[in-house]
Amino acid sequence: MAGGVRPLRGLRALCRVLLFLSQFCILSGGEQSQALAQSIKDPGPTRTFTVVPRAAESTEIPPYVMKCPSNGLCSRLPADCIDCTTNFSCIYGKPVTFDCAVKPSVTCVDQDFKSQKNFIINMTCRFCWQLPETDYECTNSTSCMTVSCPRQRYPANCTARDHVHCLGNRTFPKMLYCNWTGGYKWSTALALSLQAQVGLHVQLTVGLH
């Protein structure tokens, strides 16, 4: 009888421990739930984050690209399409070579039709303002009206042609002869003026006789 009572007492003690543990877990869970509810009601000081938008990558095509033929020979590209390492100490009028590289967004090839970025160009050592008249274009003056001798000059802005390579600024000032008079070239206007004077002289001579 005594042997059966002892296991019963041990079982009761175990039940009490389990009951205590279950109550403790319930109480602990309730406190955590209350703390969680309190944190939801009072989240504390708010933080503000500023989102900086990422700068969009530029897809704009450079204006010089319109002058650059695609997949053409690099050595024949217009001057606006390349950057060259020039040397101003070359001898004027002598042939010279310069190292050049194509500008961004420009594609060209070599003699074997292989893609190329760096190449050499051959040119004559001279500044752009020293070019012959056929290698640059200039502005015209609409107010230059004279047939006097010597011929008058006017200030003009000139620009080297695209395919011409030269040293210095490609746009430069020039003092040009006034070659337009009332819509006629200076030579034509002078000829007409001389013709009118000769005709007037003939008329006066005939009238005197």
Side-chain angles (χ1 to χ4, degrees), residues 129-202:
W129 60 269
Q130 296 173 320
L131 291 170
E133 294 182 2
T134 55
D135 288 343
Y136 59 82
E137 297 176 338
C138 300
T139 57
N140 292 323
S141 174
T142 57
S143 60
C144 188
M145 300 180 64
T146 177
V147 291
S148 62
C149 293
R151 293 164 59 188
Q152 293 185 0
R153 294 175 180 264
Y154 70 95
N157 289 325
C158 304
T159 303
R161 297 185 184 275
D162 292 339
H163 67 280
V164 176
H165 299 285
C166 52
L167 302 176
N169 295 328
R170 298 187 60 80
T171 300
F172 47 90
K174 279 273 190 180
M175 291 297 296
L176 302 180
Y177 283 113
C178 181
N179 199 36
W180 293 91
T181 306
Y184 296 95
K185 290 186 63 175
W186 182 85
S187 56
T188 304
L190 181 61
L192 292 175
S193 177
L194 292 175
Q195 183 179 0
Q197 292 180 8
V198 171
L200 179 61
H201 178 71
V202 172

Side-chain angles (χ1 to χ4, degrees), residues 16-94:
R16 290 177 182 176
V17 172
L18 294 174
L19 180 61
F20 173 77
L21 291 175
S22 63
Q23 292 177 351
F24 178 77
C25 292
I26 294 173
L27 292 175
S28 298
E31 292 177 356
Q32 292 178 357
S33 299
Q34 291 178 358
L36 179 61
Q38 183 65 25
S39 64
I40 294 175
K41 293 180 180 179
D42 185 12
T46 58
R47 295 181 181 180
T48 303
F49 297 93
T50 303
V51 179
V52 179
R54 185 178 178 180
E57 297 182 358
S58 177
T59 58
E60 184 178 355
I61 299 176
Y64 58 79
V65 174
M66 303 301 295
K67 297 182 179 180
C68 309
S70 180
N71 296 322
L73 290 176
C74 295
S75 58
R76 295 185 180 179
L77 283 174
D80 290 339
C81 306
I82 60 178
D83 289 319
C84 297
T85 304
T86 56
N87 182 6
F88 292 168
S89 63
C90 58
I91 301 175
Y92 171 75
K94 297 294 183 180

